Amino acid sequence: MKTSEIKELTDKEILERIQLETETLVRLNMNHAVSPLDNPMKIKVARRNVARLKTVLRQRELNQN
Protein backbone atom coordinates (compact mmCIF):
# COMPACT_ATOMS: atom_id res chain seq x y z
CA MET A 1 0.00 0.00 0.00
CA LYS A 2 1.43 3.33 -1.08
CA THR A 3 1.41 6.48 1.00
CA SER A 4 -0.65 8.29 -1.63
CA GLU A 5 -3.36 5.63 -1.30
CA ILE A 6 -3.33 5.96 2.48
CA LYS A 7 -3.71 9.75 2.37
CA GLU A 8 -6.98 9.37 0.45
CA LEU A 9 -8.53 7.33 3.30
CA THR A 10 -10.49 8.80 6.19
CA ASP A 11 -9.26 8.52 9.78
CA LYS A 12 -11.80 5.79 10.53
CA GLU A 13 -10.72 3.76 7.51
CA ILE A 14 -7.07 4.13 8.51
CA LEU A 15 -7.82 2.83 12.01
CA GLU A 16 -9.64 -0.17 10.50
CA ARG A 17 -6.71 -0.86 8.18
CA ILE A 18 -4.25 -0.64 11.11
CA GLN A 19 -6.27 -3.23 13.00
CA LEU A 20 -6.50 -5.49 9.94
CA GLU A 21 -2.78 -5.23 9.13
CA THR A 22 -1.83 -5.85 12.76
CA GLU A 23 -3.93 -9.01 12.83
CA THR A 24 -2.32 -10.13 9.58
CA LEU A 25 1.13 -9.47 11.02
CA VAL A 26 0.41 -11.49 14.16
CA ARG A 27 -0.96 -14.37 12.09
CA LEU A 28 2.08 -14.33 9.80
CA ASN A 29 4.46 -14.35 12.77
CA MET A 30 2.61 -17.28 14.36
CA ASN A 31 2.62 -19.28 11.15
CA HIS A 32 6.30 -18.53 10.61
CA ALA A 33 7.13 -19.73 14.13
CA VAL A 34 5.37 -23.04 13.53
CA SER A 35 6.65 -23.68 10.03
CA PRO A 36 8.70 -21.44 7.72
CA LEU A 37 6.71 -19.28 5.34
CA ASP A 38 7.22 -19.59 1.59
CA ASN A 39 7.86 -15.86 1.42
CA PRO A 40 9.07 -14.39 4.74
CA MET A 41 9.16 -10.92 3.13
CA LYS A 42 5.39 -10.78 3.74
CA ILE A 43 6.16 -10.13 7.42
CA LYS A 44 8.35 -7.17 6.51
CA VAL A 45 5.71 -5.77 4.13
CA ALA A 46 2.94 -6.08 6.74
CA ARG A 47 5.08 -4.39 9.40
CA ARG A 48 5.89 -1.50 7.09
CA ASN A 49 2.23 -1.10 6.09
CA VAL A 50 1.30 -0.70 9.76
CA ALA A 51 4.06 1.88 10.16
CA ARG A 52 2.90 3.83 7.09
CA LEU A 53 -0.68 3.88 8.33
CA LYS A 54 0.32 5.05 11.80
CA THR A 55 2.61 7.72 10.35
CA VAL A 56 -0.14 9.24 8.19
CA LEU A 57 -2.58 9.15 11.12
CA ARG A 58 -0.05 10.89 13.38
CA GLN A 59 0.67 13.55 10.75
CA ARG A 60 -3.04 14.33 10.58
CA GLU A 61 -3.21 14.65 14.36
CA LEU A 62 -0.32 17.10 14.39
CA ASN A 63 -1.79 19.15 11.53
CA GLN A 64 -5.08 19.56 13.41
CA ASN A 65 -3.33 21.10 16.42
Side-chain angles (χ1 to χ4, degrees):
M1 175 172 282
K2 295 184 178 182
T3 307
S4 59
E5 295 172 359
I6 296 171
K7 289 181 180 179
E8 295 174 0
L9 300 174
T10 64
D11 290 347
K12 185 177 180 182
E13 290 172 336
I14 291 176
L15 289 172
E16 291 172 0
R17 289 282 179 103
I18 289 173
Q19 183 178 6
L20 180 68
E21 287 290 330
T22 305
E23 291 171 1
T24 303
L25 181 60
V26 168
R27 189 170 43 253
L28 284 171
N29 281 325
M30 284 285 225
N31 290 341
H32 189 62
V34 174
S35 64
L37 294 175
D38 293 336
N39 187 1
M41 289 297 291
K42 289 181 181 180
I43 295 172
K44 184 178 181 180
V45 170
R47 190 173 63 239
R48 288 189 175 180
N49 281 339
V50 171
R52 282 188 192 103
L53 289 163
K54 287 183 176 181
T55 299
V56 170
L57 192 62
R58 180 68 177 149
Q59 286 174 346
R60 288 183 184 182
E61 289 175 5
L62 292 175
N63 286 339
Q64 288 177 354
N65 292 337

